[in-house]
């Protein structure tokens, strides 16, 4: 699928930054934008969660939401190979991508990959700073 025409074909993807939302006001703004622009309903993030915002300067261009992983996911559980006790002790170290939105007017070739890559690179450090533990595995 071709990107929507935006006139932004010369956008410097290296100028895009990703950071966690800051404070309750940005959390609410992030929630409103995801509810408005994501094709699935949005009832909030569950468990230990992070909201990332991708920016170009001060302009929000994309949103990424991470939340606690599902308790049971057969393929993941078989792949990891944890015993039931290990899983109970370590599951909080697994996080899943819950929402990903490129905001209108920012549908530019390779932007989604850039945003997701930047989000993943800082995910563990942001989880550690926000919730006190790193991420061992991120499910997208």
């Amino acid at each position: 699928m071709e990107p929507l025409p935006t006139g932004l074909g010369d956008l410097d993807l290296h100028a895009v930054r990703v950071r966690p939302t800051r404070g309750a006001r940005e959390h609410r703004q992030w929630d409103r934008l995801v509810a408005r622009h994501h094709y699935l309903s949005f009832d909030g993030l569950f468990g230990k969660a992070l909201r990332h915002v991708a920016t170009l300067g001060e302009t929000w261009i994309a949103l990424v939401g991470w939340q606690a992983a599902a308790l049971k996911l057969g393929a993941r559980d078989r792949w990891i190979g944890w015993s039931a006790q290990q899983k109970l002790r370590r599951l909080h170290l697994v996080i899943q991508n819950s929402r990903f939105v490129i905001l209108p007017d920012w549908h530019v070739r390779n932007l989604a990959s850039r945003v997701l890559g930047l989000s993943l690179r800082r995910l563990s450090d942001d989880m550690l700073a926000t919730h006190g533990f790193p991420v061992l595995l991120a499910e997208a």
Side-chain angles (χ1 to χ4, degrees):
M1 176 187 283
E2 290 296 313
L4 298 175
T6 62
L8 299 171
D10 58 350
L11 174 71
D12 179 10
L13 293 177
H14 290 83
V16 174
R17 300 289 178 256
V18 169
R19 64 169 176 80
T21 55
R22 299 177 184 136
R25 185 175 180 191
E26 283 194 358
H27 279 18
R28 287 190 305 272
Q29 176 70 4
W30 189 99
D31 288 354
R32 280 191 300 271
L33 287 169
V34 170
R36 184 175 182 189
H37 297 292
H38 199 277
Y39 67 97
L40 297 173
S41 62
F42 180 71
D43 295 324
L45 298 174
F46 301 96
K48 304 291 186 187
L50 283 174
R51 291 166 177 83
H52 276 167
V53 58
T55 61
L56 188 60
E58 294 299 313
T59 303
W60 287 21
I61 63 175
L63 310 165
V64 185
W66 299 96
Q67 68 183 21
L71 180 60
K72 295 180 181 182
L73 191 60
R76 177 202 61 213
D77 295 342
R78 285 187 300 278
W79 180 75
I80 292 175
W82 288 338
S83 70
Q85 285 186 338
Q86 288 171 321
K87 182 178 170 182
L88 287 175
R89 287 193 315 268
R90 298 177 183 164
L91 189 59
H92 70 284
L93 302 173
V94 180
I95 194 165
Q96 69 183 30
N97 176 244
S98 175
R99 292 293 186 270
F100 184 32
V101 175
I102 302 292
L103 293 171
D105 299 327
W106 292 100
H107 292 262
V108 177
R109 185 180 310 277
N110 300 320
L111 178 60
S113 296
R114 174 74 175 162
V115 169
L116 197 52
L118 290 170
S119 181
L120 283 166
R121 281 196 268 302
R122 65 174 300 142
L123 184 60
S124 189
D125 288 341
D126 288 345
M127 247 343 232
L128 184 61
T130 304
H131 296 294
F133 54 84
V135 171
L136 178 64
L137 176 68
E139 301 172 338

